[in-house]
Amino acid sequence: MNGIKDMLLLLVGSSLVSNVVLSQFLGLCPFLGVSKKIKTAAGMGGAVIFVITLASFVAGALYKLILVPLNLTYLQTIVFILVIAALVQFVEMFLKKMIPSLYQALGVYLPLITTNCAVLGVAVSNVQKNYGVLEGVINGIGTAVGFAVAIIILAGIRERMEYNEVPKPFRGMPIVLLTAGLMAIAFWGFSGLL
């Protein structure tokens, strides 16, 4: 039972308390670029959940089963990037074939998941914190869900801001950055949970 409690705390901690976008400031490019509409933000969130979860599993397994026994841990970054790139290619092919409208809406930001530092950051963080494969996957799921929640909330706020009068100096990206900063402060309130 203690193991399940620890896993649940890890899940909540990585999604809300240590939100990858709002407290670690990783993955800001898609966070700011794809958060104009809730539909595209949800699609990006789903793609990131899939990629981070699978990348956490595959990267963790490769690290523990191949790199550590063969004393090749210095290759971890290269291996993690290759794993992430392959997974993003899979997601891109799937979306292009099955959901072309979402594929078109995500545009250039879909291949940018490959270089999304949040995905690589989770894989490296799992190694640095010495997580096992299961713990790494739980951390990956929590981190990805936290990213999805943050991007969807920002998209909802941005959709509502379209109908409001924003002072001229704050129009465009300044109001988005201000909103993201206020969201970060709000998410900081979750730090009292753990």
Side-chain angles (χ1 to χ4, degrees), residues 73-121:
T73 55
Y74 59 91
L75 293 175
Q76 76 180 20
T77 305
I78 295 169
V79 170
F80 293 168
I81 289 172
L82 290 174
V83 165
I84 293 164
L87 289 172
V88 170
Q89 285 298 316
F90 174 74
V91 169
E92 192 170 2
M93 290 185 308
F94 175 80
L95 288 178
K96 190 174 185 177
K97 177 113 175 127
M98 304 305 264
I99 313 172
S101 61
L102 180 58
Y103 175 78
Q104 291 294 328
L106 292 176
V108 70
Y109 293 101
L110 185 58
L112 281 178
I113 294 176
T114 303
T115 59
N116 185 342
C117 54
V119 182
L120 181 60

Side-chain angles (χ1 to χ4, degrees), residues 15-19 22-23 146-147 149-150 153 181-192:
S15 61
L16 297 178
V17 178
S18 299
N19 187 285
L22 300 174
S23 71
F147 177 88
V149 165
I153 290 172
L182 292 172
M183 286 176 58
I185 292 170
F187 269 69
W188 185 58
F190 289 119
S191 63

Side-chain angles (χ1 to χ4, degrees), residues 63 66-78 80 127:
Y63 184 80
I66 296 174
L67 296 180
V68 170
L70 296 176
N71 199 24
L72 298 172
T73 55
Y74 59 91
L75 293 175
Q76 76 180 20
T77 305
I78 295 169
F80 293 168
V127 169

Side-chain angles (χ1 to χ4, degrees), residues 28-178:
L28 289 175
C29 180
F31 177 69
L32 297 173
V34 185
S35 61
K36 292 179 183 173
K37 300 288 180 197
I38 292 176
K39 186 176 181 180
T40 55
M44 176 59 87
V48 168
I49 288 172
F50 179 77
V51 170
I52 287 181
T53 302
L54 277 180
S56 296
F57 174 73
V58 175
L62 286 174
Y63 184 80
K64 295 285 185 189
L65 300 175
I66 296 174
L67 296 180
V68 170
L70 296 176
N71 199 24
L72 298 172
T73 55
Y74 59 91
L75 293 175
Q76 76 180 20
T77 305
I78 295 169
V79 170
F80 293 168
I81 289 172
L82 290 174
V83 165
I84 293 164
L87 289 172
V88 170
Q89 285 298 316
F90 174 74
V91 169
E92 192 170 2
M93 290 185 308
F94 175 80
L95 288 178
K96 190 174 185 177
K97 177 113 175 127
M98 304 305 264
I99 313 172
S101 61
L102 180 58
Y103 175 78
Q104 291 294 328
L106 292 176
V108 70
Y109 293 101
L110 185 58
L112 281 178
I113 294 176
T114 303
T115 59
N116 185 342
C117 54
V119 182
L120 181 60
V122 171
V124 171
S125 173
N126 288 341
V127 169
Q128 288 175 343
K129 293 179 181 175
N130 203 20
Y131 288 154
V133 176
L134 179 62
E135 291 169 318
V137 170
I138 298 294
N139 185 46
I141 291 170
T143 301
V145 167
F147 177 88
V149 165
I151 196 171
I152 291 169
I153 290 172
L154 183 63
I157 293 171
R158 286 181 75 175
E159 280 187 3
R160 304 246 358 228
M161 281 192 302
E162 285 182 22
Y163 304 109
N164 294 329
E165 186 67 33
V166 177
K168 190 172 184 177
F170 290 106
R171 289 186 188 148
M173 196 50 66
I175 194 70
V176 174
L177 291 172
L178 185 63

